[in-house]
Amino acid sequence: MCYVTTFTTEIFSLLNSIIYFHKAVQELQRAHAALSFAAFLYGIIGAIGTMMVAIFFSTAESWKPLFHRYIRMGLTEYAAAISIIVFIGMPHVGELASLDKMTLQTSTSFKPTSPDRSVFFVRFWQLPVGWIFAAILPGFIITVLFFFDHEVSSIICTISRYGTKKPGGFAWDIVLLGTTTAVCGILGIPPANGLLPQAPLHSESLMHTEKETVLISVDGEETTVIREVKRVYEQRWSAFLHAGAILAFVSPPLQHVLGLTPTSVLAGLFMFMGEQSLCVNPILYRFFSLLTPPSELPTLPTGVKGYMGVHLYTIVQIVVTVVIFIVTLTKAAPAFPLIVIALVPIRLFLMNRVWGRDTLRFVDAWACRDGTPEDDNPSENHEKQQDTNPPYVHGKNNPSA
């Protein structure tokens, strides 16, 4: 991952956003086919309402001085959960209760839903040897997908805008992800995904403002200045509680509660997750630059010859993302992680022949360390940054990054 740049991570993040929105549309399409027209229209309202209420509460941290800061923080951290609970209960109130509903399918007992299986444990020693070797290829592809998915998610969760101080636990996260995937395989249930250890949405919910004292030099004199900086609460409790809640809801009594969730609410959650991922993606803001009159665009750094190269770079990212998304809709979908991995050498060895060094230095950078591939002496620059930065900076003291 030391050779991955933001060119690839931004594309992967945009791809995730598009997939979330696509999943939301699929849920609404299924609801349209199964429900009456009135129920379907309410489903659309429920999906959009779930997303909008979650977005509204996710901004609670900026409501100061309204409410106590712990209340604002709680609303921000659990914006999606609050919105989901509201729109799960709403269809059971008043005349809405008479509408037909399409809810999540859940099990009534703790056993496999497949009629061909009576226990969760897969007797893998009874499988034909040929099928075991045939599973190596999809297993390799899933490994690549999960590894890259998690690594990129960890990078996004610890970028500079979050102000994290502790190093990312890349190696331990991969151990956790690999262990859970192996257990899921033995139990014959769908595997976890790369967002299990860390998710950007979790980091966004933990954002808060702190006051920091810094020493600056003004006209040769050192002055102490207090400024506000944004950081995330670096703790393990929220992730632990989330995991505990997931474990609790696989039990039959709480599965019944989960079964009350309308699929439109799930669609709204997908849209919220897609929006949260998209709104912090630099591709979105560079796309806005494409729509902005040249006279209104900010001045570029010295050496960058106009916005044409920046716009072309953005268009290439969008086109590549769309192509990968189309691949995920075909039979070749399992191979899409390999396409994402291929973007790394393409960026390092081909793109510098099309774009100038200053343009690439402006729009791209290393994902896990300081500097860009276009620096005159990256290794020297990296060592210098290590000497001048605090010891716990993401990616610098973590060989597995």
Side-chain angles (χ1 to χ4, degrees):
M1 295 300 292
C2 288
Y3 299 101
V4 176
T5 68
T6 56
F7 171 77
T8 305
T9 59
E10 288 169 4
I11 288 176
F12 192 75
S13 179
L14 180 60
L15 176 65
N16 283 336
S17 299
I18 295 176
I19 290 175
Y20 281 135
F21 288 125
H22 180 249
K23 291 295 184 184
V25 172
Q26 285 183 319
E27 290 296 335
L28 292 177
Q29 285 178 331
R30 282 192 280 265
H32 180 262
L35 299 176
S36 64
F37 187 65
F40 170 66
L41 289 180
Y42 173 74
I44 295 178
I45 296 173
I48 297 176
T50 301
M51 178 187 69
M52 296 304 296
V53 171
I55 292 174
F56 174 70
F57 282 122
S58 68
T59 63
E61 191 67 33
S62 63
W63 294 358
K64 187 178 179 181
L66 189 64
F67 302 126
H68 191 278
R69 70 185 186 95
Y70 288 118
I71 295 177
R72 297 196 305 269
M73 185 176 66
L75 292 174
T76 302
E77 290 183 10
Y78 294 96
I82 295 170
S83 180
I84 289 171
I85 293 172
V86 169
F87 282 91
I88 287 177
M90 191 172 293
H92 302 278
V93 177
E95 295 182 7
L96 292 176
S98 62
L99 291 176
D100 48 329
K101 302 175 182 65
M102 184 176 179
T103 58
L104 298 180
Q105 295 183 359
T106 56
S107 177
T108 57
S109 59
F110 197 73
K111 65 179 182 180
T113 55
S114 172
D116 300 328
R117 297 174 56 194
S118 58
V119 295
F120 278 109
F121 193 80
V122 176
R123 297 179 176 85
F124 52 86
W125 59 87
Q126 297 178 357
L127 296 175
V129 177
W131 284 110
I132 295 176
F133 284 98
I136 293 177
L137 179 59
F140 171 75
I141 293 175
I142 291 177
T143 301
V144 172
L145 170 62
F146 281 12
F147 175 80
F148 196 80
D149 190 11
H150 162 258
E151 296 291 295
V152 172
S153 298
S154 295
I155 291 170
I156 296 173
C157 288
T158 53
I159 56 178
S160 57
R161 70 182 297 268
Y162 294 131
T164 54
K165 297 180 180 179
K166 297 178 182 178
F170 289 86
W172 286 112
D173 287 345
I174 288 295
V175 170
L176 172 63
L177 190 58
T179 302
T180 55
T181 303
V183 172
C184 288
I186 294 175
L187 296 179
I189 59 179
N193 60 65
L195 293 178
L196 180 65
Q198 296 193 64
L201 185 61
H202 190 196
S203 294
E204 285 293 327
S205 69
L206 294 172
M207 287 283 286
H208 69 287
T209 302
E210 285 184 355
K211 290 185 178 180
E212 182 180 69
T213 303
V214 295
L215 195 64
I216 62 173
S217 178
V218 179
D219 297 330
E221 296 183 0
E222 292 187 345
T223 305
T224 302
V225 177
I226 298 177
R227 64 181 183 184
E228 290 188 344
V229 294
K230 288 195 170 184
R231 301 190 188 281
V232 298
Y233 284 103
E234 298 183 65
Q235 40 72 46
R236 294 185 174 92
W237 282 107
S238 57
F240 176 77
L241 292 175
H242 293 165
I246 293 172
L247 180 62
F249 273 90
V250 300
S251 61
L254 292 180
Q255 272 198 46
H256 174 71
V257 177
L258 197 63
L260 299 176
T261 307
T263 55
S264 60
V265 172
L266 184 63
L269 177 61
F270 285 147
M271 288 192 291
F272 172 66
M273 295 172 71
E275 183 274 338
Q276 291 289 291
S277 175
L278 182 62
C279 70
V280 296
N281 195 322
I283 295 178
L284 177 65
Y285 300 98
R286 288 200 299 270
F287 175 74
F288 290 158
S289 297
L290 281 168
L291 308 178
T292 305
S295 60
E296 301 294 330
L297 291 171
T299 304
L300 290 170
T302 304
V304 181
K305 300 178 181 178
Y307 270 94
M308 185 60 67
V310 177
H311 292 339
L312 179 61
Y313 179 90
T314 304
I315 292 172
V316 167
Q317 284 187 304
I318 294 173
V319 170
V320 169
T321 305
V322 172
V323 169
I324 297 175
F325 174 68
I326 293 174
V327 170
T328 64
L329 303 178
T330 66
K331 293 182 179 179
F336 92 87
L338 303 181
I339 303 176
V340 177
I341 293 294
L343 295 176
V344 177
I346 289 174
R347 163 62 185 91
L348 296 178
F349 301 112
L350 296 180
M351 291 182 62
N352 54 7
R353 301 182 182 182
V354 179
W355 285 270
R357 292 169 59 88
D358 292 317
T359 300
L360 289 175
R361 190 180 287 116
F362 173 66
V363 296
D364 198 15
W366 294 117
C368 294
R369 49 193 168 109
D370 293 324
T372 72
E374 281 64 45
D375 289 340
D376 294 331
N377 194 341
S379 60
E380 180 180 338
N381 178 70
H382 180 44
E383 291 174 1
K384 181 179 179 181
Q385 291 292 337
Q386 283 184 318
D387 294 336
T388 57
N389 281 284
Y392 289 113
V393 177
H394 171 69
K396 289 187 173 63
N397 296 316
N398 190 4
S400 61

